[in-house]
Amino acid sequence: MDFEAIIMEGILILKIKGELDQYNADKYRLRFDMKIVSPEVQKVVIDISELSFMDSSGVGFLVGRFRTAKAFAKELVLVCNSNYINKLLSTCGIEKLIKKYTTIEEALS
């Protein structure tokens, strides 16, 4: 897994690429949380459009980041346009918890 973090105008954009599995979720959990709780961040957009694989640990990772953001009164949304990942998120009920968009532009508006 590779990720890129960009902060602009109070919005943290986290772009995740590759695989989001147990190994990577454990490896990046703290790094993501430190960025989310930054005082300059008001909204978090996690872009998972370029994920090639995600398992239940990846789903748990996303829910954990949502809880972190919520605990610090920050909005968190997802960007995903992969049929495979969308089906997984839908099956797990993530869409009831986290707003999901198909493009970053939609998520930022």
Side-chain angles (χ1 to χ4, degrees), residues 29 33 40 53 74 76 80 86 92 96 104-105:
R29 183 173 286 117
D33 284 349
E40 64 187 302
F53 175 80
K74 300 175 185 207
L76 184 140
C80 180
N86 279 329
C92 296
K96 295 176 186 174
I104 287 185
E105 291 77 20

Side-chain angles (χ1 to χ4, degrees), residues 28-91:
Y28 289 105
R29 183 173 286 117
L30 182 60
R31 291 169 83 182
F32 273 53
D33 284 349
M34 288 178 14
K35 292 184 182 308
I36 291 170
V37 302
S38 171
E40 64 187 302
V41 173
Q42 301 303 315
K43 180 177 181 176
V44 180
V45 176
I46 299 181
D47 183 357
I48 56 174
S49 296
E50 295 186 44
L51 278 185
S52 58
F53 175 80
M54 182 167 68
D55 63 9
S56 60
S57 296
V59 173
F61 177 85
L62 295 175
V63 172
R65 304 309 53 83
F66 171 78
R67 289 184 178 156
T68 299
K70 187 175 178 181
F72 286 85
K74 300 175 185 207
E75 179 184 10
L76 184 140
V77 299
L78 293 176
V79 174
C80 180
N81 56 17
S82 161
N83 289 336
Y84 159 70
I85 302 295
N86 279 329
K87 189 172 184 177
L88 177 62
L89 295 175
S90 180
T91 301

Side-chain angles (χ1 to χ4, degrees), residues 4-21:
E4 177 183 352
I6 303 164
I7 299 176
M8 55 184 216
E9 299 179 16
I11 301 173
L12 171 63
I13 301 171
L14 295 167
K15 294 183 180 186
I16 305 173
K17 301 173 184 178
E19 298 184 356
L20 183 51
D21 54 15

